[in-house]
Amino acid sequence: MQARRAARELALILFSQFDKKITQYNQTEFEDIVLKSVRTLTNNSAEELKVSLGALYAMKEKIENYESDAEVNLQRPLEASNIPVPLPMTSDMVGRLDEMINIADKVVLALEIAEMTALEHTGDVKSYVFEIANAYKEHNIEIDNLIKKFAHGWDIDRLVKIDKDILRISIAEIMYIEGTPVKVVIDEALELAKKYSTDDSSSFINGILGKVVEEKKAIS
């Protein structure tokens, strides 16, 4: 996970914790919320790893019991080692495989969060989080107006908050942070939407950001 990708994820958590207008926050408050966000992510990842490890042990025990209960092993002397037996490809086993895939996904996420936490201490992540937050703080009216302009048929106040925050972060980068690769910003906005919201949200966000990019080209 690169520093800016980690920063976007932390920025999303930062934005989600605002309980007052962005203009009322100062740098110290930003820093406090970022620190709490990192701690929250780290604690959550540790819990996910514990749950995943427990599930893996349970699956190992199930397989060992299946082997021990196989007829060929029940007929062997107690002191003899079990003979490996083939596992049936039943719906139960497919379900177990799906569970293992889910566990693997959680472990990958936990590792990414651990990397994010490590990057945060280098300053690269934190400085870019603040750059995003300050860009939105300075231009929040213009950014929200762009969302209103392109979210046809949608009242901005009724948009899902996480979708609105992803849009705010991405538009702040596209419009007000120099040298930001637009394609990367959009791709990672869609990843955040898929991770934290819905597939429908990613399509909605993609449509609005595409229009924002056209708007920027028109005024450049």
Side-chain angles (χ1 to χ4, degrees), residues 91-205:
S91 59
D92 178 64
M93 289 308 301
V94 171
R96 294 285 168 178
L97 289 172
D98 286 340
E99 189 176 351
M100 289 185 72
I101 291 168
N102 185 46
I103 289 168
D105 286 341
K106 288 180 179 178
V107 171
V108 169
L109 175 59
L111 291 172
E112 286 185 343
I113 290 168
E115 183 180 358
M116 183 191 306
T117 305
L119 282 169
E120 192 273 337
H121 291 296
T122 69
D124 293 341
V125 173
K126 185 184 290 185
S127 62
Y128 198 66
V129 171
F130 295 150
E131 193 170 354
I132 292 170
N134 286 320
Y136 180 67
K137 181 177 179 179
E138 293 173 19
H139 303 283
N140 62 94
I141 295 174
E142 298 98 313
I143 290 170
D144 283 359
N145 282 340
L146 282 171
I147 297 173
K148 291 176 186 175
K149 180 178 179 179
F150 297 125
H152 300 299
W154 288 88
D155 180 346
I156 188 171
D157 293 326
R158 302 182 73 178
L159 287 177
V160 176
K161 187 174 188 320
I162 198 159
D163 295 349
K164 190 160 46 180
D165 288 341
I166 292 171
L167 284 168
R168 285 169 168 168
I169 290 166
S170 303
I171 294 171
E173 288 190 87
I174 291 168
M175 298 298 290
Y176 302 108
I177 298 179
E178 291 295 327
T180 306
V182 171
K183 186 178 184 306
V184 172
V185 172
I186 294 175
D187 286 348
E188 294 191 2
L190 301 184
E191 286 301 313
L192 287 173
K194 290 173 185 175
K195 186 173 180 180
Y196 292 107
S197 196
T198 66
D199 289 339
D200 289 341
S201 293
S202 62
S203 177
F204 172 71
I205 287 168

Side-chain angles (χ1 to χ4, degrees), residues 48-59:
E48 291 285 9
L49 281 171
K50 289 176 186 176
V51 171
S52 301
L53 187 59
L56 285 171
Y57 277 127
M59 276 185 270

